Amino acid sequence: MYEPNVVGDWQEYDDEHAGLRIRVHGLEKAEPPRGRDDAAEGLIYFRFRVTVENRTTEHFGIHLEDGQLDIRIGTDGESAFLDWRNSQFIEGFDVYPLRRATAVLFAAAPESGLSHVDIQVQLKVDDEWTERYLWSGGIGLHEPAVGVGARPESAADGLAAQVISFLEREAGQGPAS
């Protein structure tokens, strides 16, 4: 069974893009740098990063823009608003060996759905589409979420419980000194 990555995990590409890896990380509430978009009125802004790392001996041309991301929130998977005006995409950048490129993206959604955020990314490398990968996480997770009709004791075995456990472990670790 295919399971999504947890926010912060690296995903390695195979085949013609072997040695290239990607991750979604830094999911947190944050106000956009150039002000709120009117379309996001009444929504809570959040930020996340998409980092592409080249671990090969050749360079890759990377392209990541708003149409290559899909952000879903809540247990029903409703679409979040991606603020393309405030986001910093990766557009036609050559990632050389042992280098990284990071996109900083801003989105907005109702606060009630932020405990479950799914981010799907399909990168374009050297004018070729790569596989789509999915990351799951949340903002403000303090208690395990139990889905509608689910028994509370079964939630410990689900993906949401794994995400919560991972985020709690990460929150407990401070920056390396």
Side-chain angles (χ1 to χ4, degrees):
M1 172 187 242
Y2 174 77
E3 289 190 20
N5 298 294
V6 174
V7 169
D9 284 351
W10 286 100
Q11 175 63 55
E12 303 274 342
Y13 285 101
D14 296 325
D15 302 328
E16 68 270 6
H17 302 116
L20 198 61
R21 65 185 194 160
I22 186 172
R23 76 175 175 157
V24 171
H25 59 105
L27 180 61
E28 62 188 358
K29 286 184 185 177
E31 285 296 318
R34 291 185 285 273
R36 299 178 63 88
D37 189 303
D38 292 340
E41 186 175 338
L43 303 176
I44 303 297
Y45 264 91
F46 60 97
R47 170 179 61 208
F48 62 95
R49 291 172 169 77
V50 177
T51 298
V52 179
E53 182 179 66
N54 184 354
R55 299 167 55 115
T56 68
T57 57
E58 59 183 274
H59 76 278
F60 290 103
I62 304 298
H63 193 84
L64 178 66
E65 60 184 2
D66 59 342
Q68 295 166 248
L69 297 154
D70 193 6
I71 306 159
R72 301 288 168 165
I73 53 103
T75 55
D76 289 334
E78 294 181 19
S79 182
F81 169 73
L82 178 61
D83 188 343
W84 59 268
R85 183 185 69 160
N86 279 299
S87 296
Q88 301 166 356
F89 297 100
I90 303 171
E91 298 182 44
F93 188 77
D94 289 335
V95 181
Y96 283 85
L98 305 176
R99 297 283 189 249
R100 293 179 177 175
T102 299
V104 180
L105 304 147
F106 287 87
E111 189 166 17
S112 61
L114 294 180
S115 63
H116 186 108
V117 179
D118 289 334
I119 302 169
Q120 183 172 303
V121 179
Q122 184 175 22
L123 192 63
K124 197 170 187 180
V125 179
D126 292 332
D127 295 323
E128 294 179 20
W129 294 104
T130 62
E131 291 184 52
R132 292 182 182 271
Y133 290 113
L134 179 68
W135 283 264
S136 288
I139 299 171
L141 293 175
H142 298 294
E143 299 176 9
V146 177
V148 175
R151 296 190 330 242
E153 60 269 17
S154 67
D157 298 328
L159 178 61
Q162 293 173 22
V163 170
I164 291 167
S165 176
F166 172 80
L167 293 173
E168 287 174 346
R169 284 194 313 270
E170 289 297 309
Q173 298 173 355
S177 44

